[in-house]
Amino acid sequence: MSRIPLPYNPKVMDLFRNPKNLGKMEDATVVAVAGNPACGDMITFYLKIDEAKQIIEKASFESYGCAANIATSSIVTERIKSLTLEKAGNEITWKKVTEEIGGLPSVKFHCGVLAVGALKRAIRQYFTQKGIEAPSWLPKEHTFEEKQALEEEELAKTLSKRMKPEAEKK
Ligand code: FES
């Protein structure tokens, strides 16, 4: 069976073929792994943080997702360079990122949500991991993107539940 290619715009295709900031970061301050329950794909997000100023010095990612996820992650990692954690956490949304790459097919929205969710999870994780009290600007509840970008274990649980026969789910 042949698949019909998705109508990605040229910007998405260019970022997919020439992604920015792709790869592991050895000196990352924080590393967050997140997966999307819609497709089961995973992404790892790395942030190097200037801890005195709470500024993101650099960001990179490893994606096991699709072209849309690679393109949106490229944009996110570019946009957050030199931003404070507060700005990166509060101003980067999946809608803005999707607009910036010229739009995505609606069946691919979740791929951009995963990229932004991984960023937001990394920022939250930074405070938890360092034992720093969460700042007032950090939403107490997980944001929409974070809820859609599950931690590895949550993702495994969600997917295994989905794969179980109906009788076993109860
Ligand atoms: S289909 Fe899974 S990240 Fe795009």
Side-chain angles (χ1 to χ4, degrees):
M1 193 175 75
S2 70
R3 284 197 181 178
I4 301 166
L6 281 163
Y8 287 128
N9 70 52
K11 190 162 181 183
V12 174
M13 289 314 293
D14 184 45
L15 282 167
F16 169 53
R17 292 193 185 109
N18 308 293
K20 309 257 193 258
N21 312 307
L22 180 67
K24 190 172 178 176
M25 190 192 293
E26 296 297 344
D27 60 344
T29 315
V30 65
V31 181
V33 180
N36 194 290
C39 61
D41 288 332
M42 307 276 297
I43 183 172
T44 307
F45 228 82
Y46 301 88
L47 299 180
K48 173 78 180 159
I49 298 167
D50 175 332
E51 299 194 54
K53 297 187 184 143
Q54 302 243 311
I55 283 176
I56 298 171
E57 290 178 341
K58 55 181 182 169
S60 72
F61 70 97
E62 291 178 292
S63 168
Y64 306 96
C66 63
N69 181 248
I70 291 170
T72 47
S73 301
S74 283
I75 289 278
V76 171
T77 50
E78 282 291 280
R79 289 297 160 265
I80 60 176
K81 256 186 238 166
S82 307
L83 288 190
T84 60
L85 291 172
E86 179 176 2
K87 274 199 165 212
N90 288 340
E91 293 181 11
I92 305 282
T93 65
W94 75 271
K95 282 189 183 156
K96 283 189 196 163
V97 171
T98 306
E99 269 168 34
E100 195 170 338
I101 53 167
L104 284 173
S106 55
V107 291
K108 290 287 172 179
F109 283 170
H110 71 271
C111 314
V113 173
L114 176 60
V116 175
L119 162 69
K120 296 194 175 191
R121 282 201 174 244
I123 292 173
R124 192 179 293 279
Q125 198 171 305
Y126 166 72
F127 293 104
T128 322
Q129 208 170 291
K130 295 277 169 179
I132 304 171
E133 194 183 335
S136 56
W137 55 261
L138 190 74
K140 295 218 173 356
E141 299 288 319
H142 280 180
T143 58
F144 165 74
E145 287 104 339
E146 287 172 275
K147 283 184 191 151
Q148 299 299 310
L150 306 180
E151 276 170 12
E152 216 169 341
E153 284 155 25
E154 291 173 83
L155 180 71
K157 263 191 230 154
T158 306
L159 295 179
S160 72
K161 241 190 240 162
R162 208 178 283 169
M163 284 157 66
K164 273 186 194 158
E166 278 309 309
E168 281 181 43
K169 285 186 194 168
K170 290 168 192 162

